[in-house]
Amino acid sequence: MFLSVPLSRSLRVSVAKVAGRNASSTKWIRRQLSDRFVVQAQAGHWRCRSAFKLQQLDEKLHFLTIGARVVDLGAAPGGWSLMALSRVAPAEAPPETHGVVVAVDLQRISPIPGVRILTHDVTLVPSVTRAILECLDSKPAHVVLSDMAPKTSGSPSNDHRLYMQLCTAALDVASAGVLATGGTFVCKLTTGAQDASFRRLLATRFRAVRYIKPEASRSESAEIYLCAQGFSQTPHPHNTPKSTSPHTQPTPNTLAARLRSTPKAPTPTAARASSCSGGGGRSTGGESHSRGGSGSSSGSSSSSSSSSSSSSSSSSSSSSSSSSS
């Protein structure tokens, strides 16, 4: 039986004035303490409020089925991995029917019983793909998730570009043999100059593509999710974007190339990786953190996403570190 968390809408919190605390800090604390998803994340040990975004996406699209293999890119601090595990390997289901969750992040993730953790830079596509498939025992995943987000700059257009680099890296990983035929791909982005092109790119490889903004995503946040289902290794002819030239027909690779800026060499820290760890018993226990600076605590667990965003343009073919406003 899947977990469904009832959430109260009537939370009101007063924050005492503290010397030295500015108005914006007080406002942030009040918002955090009054946020019903933050409260529920703390009570349920989901590590971050963004876990409920995944819960709501799955309630709409039903892609996290018992026994499924799931890859969570930019997984720190682990809220999405915990939620995915509760659905593909519920405690009441026979162990032989349990699915697998692989959590990938450049930042180290505290152990999650039942989740296989991989410390790696998502933007280093060839090496991270090999490492993920090792964790999956050489079997492709049914679902690839990306809740990654860059460190925001304050410029909506620049932030959008960085989001699209991360999405492109995530799609590169999924398309490089990690995602099984018929599988589901989910990534977070903001709307802007490049998201329509990226959606068209997804439409060439997936049966259905749609935008979804879950209720747990704050109304003031510009984030939105692209959910693509029915993956195909070969482009769908009826979905291939029409050429703007009578002599050229865009391919997934050429479309993805338009989303990239000038390639940059990976930094030494981006090259570090570790073997897959974890995968024992399962539990939803864990600390309450933020998956990118605005979850159930003020921690900034999205350092891998900011690291990835600066080097994601070195990816080789099409959409990816972690956040959840």
Side-chain angles (χ1 to χ4, degrees), residues 63 140-144 170-186 198 201-209 227-236 238-239 252 317-319:
F63 51 84
H142 301 99
V143 180
V144 172
L171 183 58
D172 282 344
V173 172
S175 303
V178 170
L179 185 59
T181 298
T184 296
F185 174 78
V186 177
F198 188 71
L201 171 61
L202 290 178
T204 67
R205 305 298 291 273
F206 292 86
R207 172 180 44 81
V209 182
C227 304
Q229 295 181 285
F231 177 67
S232 174
Q233 294 290 349
T234 57
H236 296 287
H238 62 285
N239 285 341
S317 135
S318 305
S319 258

Side-chain angles (χ1 to χ4, degrees), residues 13 18 24 34 37 50 115 120 135 155 179 200 209 227-228 230 266 317:
V13 176
V18 177
S24 62
S34 302
F37 294 109
S50 67
V115 173
H120 208 298
C135 288
S155 166
L179 185 59
R200 287 195 297 272
V209 182
C227 304
S317 135

Side-chain angles (χ1 to χ4, degrees), residues 302-324:
S302 188
S303 61
S304 70
S305 71
S306 53
S307 301
S308 295
S309 65
S310 65
S311 61
S312 73
S313 51
S314 62
S315 318
S316 62
S317 135
S318 305
S319 258
S320 196
S321 216
S322 91
S323 172
S324 83

Side-chain angles (χ1 to χ4, degrees), residues 56-71:
Q56 291 160 6
L57 290 171
D58 186 50
E59 286 172 352
K60 284 181 177 291
L61 301 179
H62 310 291
F63 51 84
L64 294 175
T65 56
I66 294 175
R69 295 183 293 275
V70 180
V71 174

Side-chain angles (χ1 to χ4, degrees), residues 46-48 50-55 57 63-64 68-86 88 100-110 112 114-123 128 131-133 135-136 140-149 166 169-171 173-174 178-179 184-188 225 276 291 301 304-305 308 320-324:
W46 290 105
R47 299 196 176 192
C48 55
S50 67
F52 300 113
K53 299 178 188 178
L54 179 60
Q55 178 190 42
L57 290 171
F63 51 84
L64 294 175
R69 295 183 293 275
V70 180
V71 174
D72 182 10
L73 300 175
W80 273 40
S81 293
L82 280 168
M83 183 61 72
L85 186 70
S86 74
V88 304
V100 175
V101 177
V102 176
V104 187
D105 205 298
L106 186 60
Q107 176 181 326
R108 294 196 178 277
I109 302 171
S110 299
I112 303 173
V115 173
R116 302 176 184 182
I117 297 174
L118 178 63
T119 305
H120 208 298
D121 186 344
V122 172
T123 67
V128 76
I132 290 171
L133 288 173
C135 288
L136 291 172
H142 301 99
V143 180
V144 172
L145 305 170
S146 171
D147 192 36
M148 299 188 287
L166 295 177
L171 183 58
V173 172
V178 170
L179 185 59
T184 296
F185 174 78
V186 177
C187 68
K188 178 167 69 179
Y225 291 84
C276 195
R291 190 183 171 91
S301 57
S304 70
S305 71
S308 295
S320 196
S321 216
S322 91
S323 172
S324 83

Side-chain angles (χ1 to χ4, degrees), residues 28-29 32 288-290 292-301:
W28 187 90
I29 293 172
Q32 290 297 98
S288 262
H289 293 294
S290 163
S294 56
S296 50
S297 86
S298 60
S300 61
S301 57

